[in-house]
């Protein structure tokens, strides 16, 4: 079956050609094989961490469909992408819309950001039957992107609590955080929840009450809990720090690298390591230690060292 692609060249639907999974584990191009070694090291790191922490990681042996709502499926290219908020997930969703749109979209950056987050625009793994889920987990190439956990956390805080337009977050989480963490809060702060301090946000995250009450919001939930890397074997672990190379490598494996490139644009507002350091200056060593415990598996699993600015107890 040939289908016209929006870039004016014919690409053959994957039938008969090699799948991304085959290309990853038995590369035909030398350029792909060098990168394959790097990804093998990243996979091994995850496996070793899961094994070393099996007590905590195997509590829930069976995944339920609701655990799979972050896994976006691309049938045409036999790929599954687990999206992690604050790790280039808007751009990856845009790319997935180009890949699965059958010619409806051609340029990822022409897709408005809010449209990329409309759930009906992408199909997720929890929408399939159990046999279909198992078949795809076994035969499709699965990938996710990770980021230094505390940098991701500060990025989420800045986006959700310091931007005036995020009123739904202020109402849902801000008011709760202010009520619980701020002594003598004003009536206005309790009503609006739009001036949450980073220290209050951290105190809310490590509060045992928060953990019992409901799962973390996806923007600050651990990658470990969003994508279940101890239960799902990811073939590729991309990193925010090497976003462009890792993303284009995946597109190459999918056989679309010649006409589809991962969108790059340097955001001047991007959360950096220096910025993260600054945010942590006012956090007590006790709270830093407790917060590190919450995100510890993400640090270990994806090979991020303990940040030098932390004063752990």
């Amino acid at each position: 079956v040939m289908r016209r692609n929006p870039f004016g060249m014919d690409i053959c639907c994957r039938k008969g050609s090699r799948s991304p999974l085959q290309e990853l584990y038995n590369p035909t191009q030398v350029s792909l094989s060098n990168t394959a070694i790097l990804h093998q090291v990243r996979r091994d790191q995850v496996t070793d961490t899961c094994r070393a922490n099996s007590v905590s990681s195997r509590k829930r042996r069976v995944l339920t469909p609701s655990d799979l709502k972050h896994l976006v499926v691309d049938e045409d290219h036999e790929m599954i992408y687990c999206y992690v908020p604050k790790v280039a997930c808007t751009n990856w969703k845009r790319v997935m819309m180009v890949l699965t749109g059958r010619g409806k979209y051609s340029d990822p950056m022409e897709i408005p950001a809010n449209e990329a987050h409309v759930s009906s625009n992408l199909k997720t793994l929890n929408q399939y039957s159990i046999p279909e889920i198992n078949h795809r987990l076994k035969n499709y190439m699965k990938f996710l992107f990770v980021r230094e956990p505390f940098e991701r956390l500060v990025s989420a805080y800045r986006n959700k609590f310091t931007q005036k337009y995020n009123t739904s977050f202020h109402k849902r989480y801000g008011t709760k955080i202010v009520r619980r963490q701020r002594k003598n809060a004003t009536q206005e702060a309790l009503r609006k929840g739009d001036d949450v301090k980073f220290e209050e946000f951290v105190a809310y995250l490590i509060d045992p009450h928060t953990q019992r009450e409901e799962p973390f919001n996806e923007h600050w939930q651990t990658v470990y809990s969003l994508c279940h890397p101890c239960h799902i074997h990811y073939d590729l672990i991309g990193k925010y720090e090497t976003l462009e190379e890792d993303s284009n490598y995946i597109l190459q494996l999918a056989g679309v690298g010649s006409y589809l490139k991962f969108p790059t644009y340097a955001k001047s507002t991007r959360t950096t390591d220096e910025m993260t350091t600054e945010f942590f200056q006012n956090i007590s060593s006790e709270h830093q230690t407790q917060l590190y415990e919450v995100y510890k598996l993400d640090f270990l699993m994806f090979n991020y060292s303990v940040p030098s600015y932390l004063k752990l107890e």
Side-chain angles (χ1 to χ4, degrees):
V1 194
M2 297 297 277
R3 75 166 186 273
R4 291 293 302 173
N5 97 332
F7 304 85
M9 55 182 95
D10 286 312
I11 49 168
C12 179
C13 292
R14 288 218 77 87
K15 304 298 160 247
S17 61
R18 286 163 62 84
S19 74
L21 207 53
Q22 291 168 319
E23 199 52 69
L24 171 67
Y25 291 107
N26 297 295
T28 46
Q29 300 171 41
V30 177
S31 62
L32 293 182
S33 61
N34 297 339
T35 316
I37 297 163
L38 165 74
H39 286 279
Q40 178 64 57
V41 171
R42 290 182 186 172
R43 278 196 299 278
D44 291 345
Q45 177 77 21
V46 171
T47 307
D48 295 346
T49 308
C50 290
R51 203 172 287 142
N53 295 275
S54 60
V55 186
S56 57
S57 66
R58 292 241 171 79
K59 257 188 272 189
R60 295 170 57 198
R61 206 166 262 117
V62 180
L63 293 179
T64 62
S66 75
D67 291 320
L68 306 173
K69 57 180 186 286
H70 272 248
L71 280 79
V72 174
V73 182
D74 172 2
E75 294 290 353
D76 292 343
H77 304 90
E78 301 189 351
M79 298 198 299
I80 295 173
Y81 159 58
C82 184
Y83 69 90
V84 177
K86 306 313 301 171
V87 193
C89 93
T90 305
N91 277 355
W92 255 111
K93 284 181 175 180
R94 285 169 162 147
V95 169
M96 293 301 274
M97 282 171 72
V98 172
L99 290 173
T100 58
R102 309 215 161 186
K104 191 172 160 192
Y105 310 97
S106 58
D107 177 1
M109 292 317 282
E110 278 174 8
I111 301 170
N114 57 344
E115 205 176 307
H117 297 294
V118 173
S119 55
S120 57
N121 283 333
L122 290 165
K123 194 160 186 193
T124 47
L125 197 58
N126 59 335
Q127 294 169 289
Y128 293 84
S129 69
I130 303 290
E132 288 172 331
I133 288 172
N134 289 332
H135 170 79
R136 281 158 184 74
L137 284 175
K138 190 171 160 216
N139 296 293
Y140 286 16
M141 183 176 85
K142 300 164 295 299
F143 67 95
L144 77 163
F145 275 78
V146 299
R147 181 178 186 176
E148 203 279 339
F150 285 169
E151 197 179 288
R152 177 176 163 242
L153 191 66
V154 168
S155 176
Y157 165 77
R158 290 178 65 220
N159 178 246
K160 299 302 170 197
F161 294 107
T162 69
Q163 304 288 346
K164 288 293 170 227
Y165 60 80
N166 266 321
T167 48
S168 61
F169 264 81
H170 303 157
K171 282 266 185 290
R172 175 151 187 216
Y173 295 100
T175 53
K176 190 186 292 182
I177 294 170
V178 169
R179 190 174 67 241
R180 212 182 284 168
Q181 307 301 339
R182 188 179 303 176
K183 290 184 175 72
N184 313 321
T186 64
Q187 283 307 307
E188 191 184 20
L190 289 165
R191 193 180 77 250
K192 284 188 168 171
D194 64 353
D195 65 344
V196 170
K197 297 183 181 69
F198 186 64
E199 298 89 291
E200 295 170 328
F201 178 52
V202 169
Y204 162 78
L205 293 175
I206 58 179
D207 184 346
H209 189 90
T210 306
Q211 298 275 10
R212 283 195 303 272
E213 181 178 60
E214 58 179 355
F216 274 5
N217 176 277
E218 59 176 15
H219 290 85
W220 48 86
Q221 179 60 281
T222 60
V223 177
Y224 165 74
S225 303
L226 287 177
C227 295
H228 313 285
C230 288
H231 303 278
I232 294 171
H233 171 84
Y234 285 93
D235 303 288
L236 277 162
I237 295 145
K239 292 201 160 189
Y240 193 71
E241 295 76 16
T242 48
L243 178 62
E244 221 175 309
E245 304 93 292
D246 293 344
S247 299
N248 288 322
Y249 174 58
I250 290 167
L251 296 175
Q252 236 178 314
L253 292 171
V256 298
S258 58
Y259 65 83
L260 182 57
K261 291 276 175 278
F262 191 77
T264 56
Y265 60 105
K267 273 174 87 174
S268 54
T269 56
R270 200 186 90 99
T271 302
T272 59
D273 186 42
E274 292 76 43
M275 223 178 266
T276 306
T277 306
E278 231 161 276
F279 272 90
F280 272 86
Q281 298 277 287
N282 302 329
I283 308 295
S284 70
S285 57
E286 184 192 356
H287 280 189
Q288 288 186 5
T289 305
Q290 289 172 285
L291 191 69
Y292 179 76
E293 280 305 313
V294 174
Y295 293 93
K296 187 178 176 178
L297 277 178
D298 279 7
F299 275 100
L300 297 173
M301 206 168 268
F302 307 117
N303 207 16
Y304 287 107
S305 51
V306 176
S308 56
Y309 56 77
L310 283 194
K311 310 178 285 283
L312 298 184
E313 291 191 334

